[in-house]
Structure formats: structure tokens, C-alpha cells
Amino acid sequence: MLRKNSLASLALAVCALGAQAEIKTLTDISGQQVKLDLPAKRVALGFYFEDYLAVAGEKGWSHVVGISKDAWKGWRPASWKLYTDHMPAIDKLPDMGEVEAMTFSVEKVIALKPDVLVLAEWQMQGLGSDIDQIKSAGIPIVVVDYNAQTLERHLKSTELLGEIAGQPARAAAINKDYKDALGDIDARLAKARLPKPKAYAEFGNKGPGEVGISYGKNMWGGMIEQAGGINISKPFVEWWGPINPEQVLASQPDVVLITGTETAKSPTALRIGQGVPRKEVAERLSGWAQRPGWGTLPAIKGQRLHALYQGASRTQADYTMVQYIAKALYPTVFPDLNPEQNYINFYKKYLPVVPQGTFATDLSAR
């Protein structure tokens, strides 16, 4: 009788496991159909680490078996320390290498034997024929994309991560926050019916003495348009790249956005983010107001020069930066919004750590 009951219990346990697992065919951002046994038990992540963690939760992150470390540790070391202090296991994850630095290792990915490799679309494009080798090894690849800065791709990417992690409800909640925030911006602007201001965004990692990259249809360029502005770089830059300084002067932007991270390889670079005091951010930002000819810009004359955290772009939480840009463009339409606090609130709601520092500010903080 005891053996019979044990066999029955084992059968029930197997059935329960089978009920939780499910073979699904997902259509990813690139349009490819990928058949997966979900939720995935071994996940390799090329990018969008915080986004996967927000969807999967801290417990779900335990199924991550490898990451491209340099895209997190190298690009955002302060964020890396914040997370690894709380979750030391992250630092012990195998490193697959990084696509942009051309260190990505197909052999390391194959050795990890992941159920799925999650890549950003730009990584998929950068790997070229190496993708075929990964697929030939029987490793499914799912492509997601937050860089494009379109509502459709943001929502679809979060939905895909939710399916992979077995957390569709959590993904749906994140998507609702995103849709509601952008919907509120659209509704207010439709009601206000004001002329569209012009804006210019530049990555300030080189300091004011050297022109940094600007953005066309993606990232900060796309966010300017989501916020109801005219991106002056769009006619001259498709994705990202510098534009002629004379073109900025000729375009006469009403608002200028300089972005940065905690790392300052140049002594005059814009430092902003985890652990960076607001006063330091504003003082570094003031260097851009001194650029030759910039005193003639409406943005500088009107004290509408702003600093934003580069790490808050291309992410599920970047709707808060769209809110900030909207408020910078239309201060009378969005006086009640507190975008920087909303950014912190996203962490409190979905992530196991809460950053402290400066993530959006202007010259008034000096």
C-alpha cells in the first residue's frame, strides 16, 4: 500500500510539472517563429538585463545561466555594483562576451546549453553569420528591441520576456504602466493643441568640447517624438551619430537634452546616474551652455538645458524619461508630473534594488 501511494504521489508530481511546462511558438520582434518549452529553465541574456529581471523577478532570475557582462558591468559599473551587492550570484554568471566590442563568443554560448538565447535586435544584426552557428547547435534565439523606442516594440518585447520567464501577468502589468503613461501624454497634448517645440539630444560622454552622438529615429530621438516634440537630428541621422555643429545652430532648438552615465572617461563629460550628486550634474551640464554660438539658441536663452540618464533609455522604465522630456517641452501642460520620482517608483515596484542619485535635472540645481 505504501509503495502504491508513493507511485501515485510521483505520478501527481509529474503531472503537475507537465501542467506548468508548455511548448509554445513565439513570434519575436524580427518576425521569426521560435518554438520553446516554457517557462525556460536556462536563459542566456545578451542585453536588457534589468528588463528581464523586472519581468522574471528575483526568483526567476535564477534561471539565467549567462550574460554579456561588459554591456552591464562595463557600460554601467555603478548599476552593476548596486545589483551585485544585493545579488552576488550575478557576478558569478559566465560571460558570453559583448557584440559591440566584438568579444561575443559563439563557443561560450553553445557551452552554456541554454533553452533560449535572448538578444537585442542590434546584437542579432551585429553577429551576422554567427547566428547560424548558434542555431545549428539547436539553441533557439528570441530577438527583442527596446532601442527602437516605439510603443509596439516595447510592449511586444516585454510580452516576449514574460512568456520566456513564465510571468505573463507581471509583463502585462509593466506594459499597462507604460501604455497608461504614454496615453496620458498623448491625451494632454491633444487637448492643449500647442505648437510643437524643437529639441536636440546629444550623448555627453565626450564633454562639451567635442560633439557627441545624436539620435535619429531611435532612443532619445524617438522619445522626443513620443513626448510631442520635433527632433532636429532626425533629417540628418538615421539611427545615431553626430550632426554638424552648424546644423544645431541653424535649427534653433527650444530644448536641449544632454545625456550621460556615472562613468566619465573625459574630465568634462556629463556624469549622471547612480550615486552622482545633483549639483555636480548641473555644474557639468553648464559647460554645454558655453559652447561657441550656443548663447544664440532659444534653449540656452530660456534656461531649457537638461541632463538625462543614458541608462534610463531603451528600457521598460523609459516612459518616465518621455514624461520628463514632455514636461521640458510643455511645462504648462505637465506641471504635476514628477518623472524622476516615477523612475524610482518603477524600481520599487518591479526590481529588487532602488538606485539613489540623479537621473534627470537642469541648470537650476547648481
Side-chain angles (χ1 to χ4, degrees), residues 30 32 110 124 130-141:
S30 68
Q32 67 175 345
I110 293 173
M124 182 79 164
D130 285 346
I131 291 297
D132 296 331
Q133 191 177 344
I134 296 171
K135 289 182 177 179
S136 295
I139 298 172
I141 299 173

Side-chain angles (χ1 to χ4, degrees), residues 6 16 42 49 62 65 72 75 103 122 128 164 199 252 277 338 349:
S6 297
R42 296 181 62 80
F49 313 108
S62 65
V65 296
W72 191 353
W75 295 2
T103 58
W122 63 266
I164 292 168
Q252 292 284 288
N338 190 344
K349 190 172 182 180

Side-chain angles (χ1 to χ4, degrees), residues 25-80:
T25 299
L26 304 182
T27 302
D28 73 3
I29 288 299
S30 68
Q32 67 175 345
Q33 292 192 324
V34 187
K35 187 175 288 187
L36 297 171
D37 188 358
L38 299 175
K41 296 298 186 291
R42 296 181 62 80
V43 180
L45 285 178
F47 200 45
Y48 305 132
F49 313 108
E50 286 183 287
D51 303 294
Y52 189 80
L53 181 53
V55 171
E58 195 167 352
K59 185 177 179 182
W61 179 267
S62 65
H63 294 295
V64 175
V65 296
I67 62 174
S68 291
K69 279 191 178 180
D70 197 49
W72 191 353
K73 184 179 182 179
W75 295 2
R76 298 173 61 208
S79 170
W80 174 263

Side-chain angles (χ1 to χ4, degrees), residues 275-288:
V276 185
R278 194 169 302 276
K279 185 176 181 181
E280 179 187 342
V281 178
E283 287 175 348
R284 285 176 176 261
L285 178 64
S286 66
W288 274 265

Side-chain angles (χ1 to χ4, degrees), residues 238-316:
E238 183 176 10
W239 298 109
W240 56 79
I243 70 172
N244 191 310
E246 295 298 323
Q247 188 58 58
V248 177
L249 298 179
S251 298
Q252 292 284 288
D254 302 291
V255 171
V256 169
L257 313 166
I258 306 298
T259 70
T261 66
E262 302 91 344
T263 305
K265 294 180 180 179
S266 162
T268 58
L270 181 69
R271 282 193 72 232
I272 183 171
Q274 170 70 17
V276 185
R278 194 169 302 276
K279 185 176 181 181
E280 179 187 342
V281 178
E283 287 175 348
R284 285 176 176 261
L285 178 64
S286 66
W288 274 265
Q290 308 307 315
R291 270 184 168 172
W294 274 40
T296 65
L297 300 181
I300 304 304
K301 290 179 179 179
Q303 294 284 296
R304 299 173 77 182
L305 175 62
H306 299 266
L308 297 171
Y309 182 44
Q310 185 80 352
S313 63
R314 62 187 186 280
T315 174
Q316 295 158 353

